[in-house]
Each structure stands twice: as structure tokens, then as C-alpha cells.
């Protein structure tokens, strides 16, 4: 039997997240934000309006999973921040994707260029 990485247990919660939830984590990886700022970033990404009824339940799920921390910014506004577990989840997901994307030297160079451009 092959010992290739098909055991998803090492991926943690990452496979259970929706693409929308992974995008929320990506937005929060940059810096902590309040709900409407997250909403604006996601609307720019998806190029469509994001309904509050979609955003906040997903934020609550991420808080419950321990990937995002919710705190009171003021009386009316909550702020959301990525936790260490959230950061680890993003890193795990990226590692998994990169391990499948990089199949030769050209793709490795392409990925290095993307990382360099993001800096």
C-alpha cells in the first residue's frame, strides 16, 4: 500500500470549510476587521453584494470552530480576528493546494513569482 498523503486527518478542519469561509479567513489574515469591512472585501472579491444573512452566520461558525476571535470594538460593532488555529488552517490548505499544483520546475517558478508579487 502506498504511503502518499491521502490521509486527510492531518488537514484538520480545512476540508470541512466552504469556499466562502476560506475567503473570510483570507480576508482576516491581513488584519482584524469589523463585519462591514469584511463584507466589503468579499463583495470586491465576488463582484456581487454579500447578504448579511450569509456573512454573519459563517463568521459565527468560524468563531465556534476557534478559527476566528470575536470581540467588541464598541457598543454596536464587533471586530473579528484570525486566531492561531485559523492561521494554521490557511497554511494547511495552501500547503495542500501547492503540493498538487507544483508538478514541475515551471510551476514552482510560477508559484514563487506569485508569492514575490504578493509581498
Amino acid at each position: 500500500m502506498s504511503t502518499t498523503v491521502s490521509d486527510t486527518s492531518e488537514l484538520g478542519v480545512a476540508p470541512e470549510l466552504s469556499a466562502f469561509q476560506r475567503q473570510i479567513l483570507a480576508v482576516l489574515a491581513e488584519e482584524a476587521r469589523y463585519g462591514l469591512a469584511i463584507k466589503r472585501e468579499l463583495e470586491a472579491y465576488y463582484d456581487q453584494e454579500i447578504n448579511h444573512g450569509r456573512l454573519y452566520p459563517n463568521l459565527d461558525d468560524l468563531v465556534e470552530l476557534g478559527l476566528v476571535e470575536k470581540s467588541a470594538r464598541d457598543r454596536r460593532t464587533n471586530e473579528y480576528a484570525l486566531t492561531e488555529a485559523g492561521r494554521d488552517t490557511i497554511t494547511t490548505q495552501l500547503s495542500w493546494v501547492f503540493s498538487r499544483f507544483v508538478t514541475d520546475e515551471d510551476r514552482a517558478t510560477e508559484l514563487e513569482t506569485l508569492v514575490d508579487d504578493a509581498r
Side-chain angles (χ1 to χ4, degrees):
M1 184 158 139
S2 174
T3 58
T4 58
V5 181
S6 59
D7 179 12
T8 59
S9 65
E10 67 187 40
L11 295 176
V13 71
E16 297 172 28
L17 299 179
S18 69
F20 187 72
Q21 289 170 327
R22 288 192 302 270
Q23 300 312 326
I24 292 171
L25 294 180
V27 167
L28 292 174
E30 188 176 20
E31 65 183 351
R33 298 175 193 262
Y34 61 98
L36 288 176
I38 297 167
K39 181 178 180 292
R40 283 189 210 109
E41 286 288 328
L42 293 170
E43 287 174 340
Y45 177 79
Y46 285 103
D47 195 27
Q48 66 182 31
E49 185 177 346
I50 301 298
N51 187 308
H52 287 75
R54 180 178 184 200
L55 176 63
Y56 290 101
N58 278 285
L59 279 167
D60 289 341
D61 289 346
L62 294 171
V63 168
E64 190 173 311
L65 289 169
L67 305 177
V68 171
E69 182 178 69
K70 179 179 175 180
S71 60
R73 187 173 190 184
D74 58 40
R75 287 178 167 238
R76 296 182 49 202
T77 308
N78 290 317
E79 184 169 78
Y80 299 88
L82 194 65
T83 64
E84 192 65 30
R87 182 186 172 284
D88 290 347
T89 297
I90 291 173
T91 302
T92 299
Q93 178 67 23
L94 289 173
S95 177
W96 186 85
V97 170
F98 292 166
S99 72
R100 275 122 188 100
F101 179 78
V102 178
T103 57
D104 58 33
E105 192 62 36
D106 287 342
R107 284 192 173 187
T109 301
E110 184 179 350
L111 189 55
E112 288 172 3
T113 301
L114 285 171
V115 170
D116 288 343
D117 290 348
R119 290 184 198 171

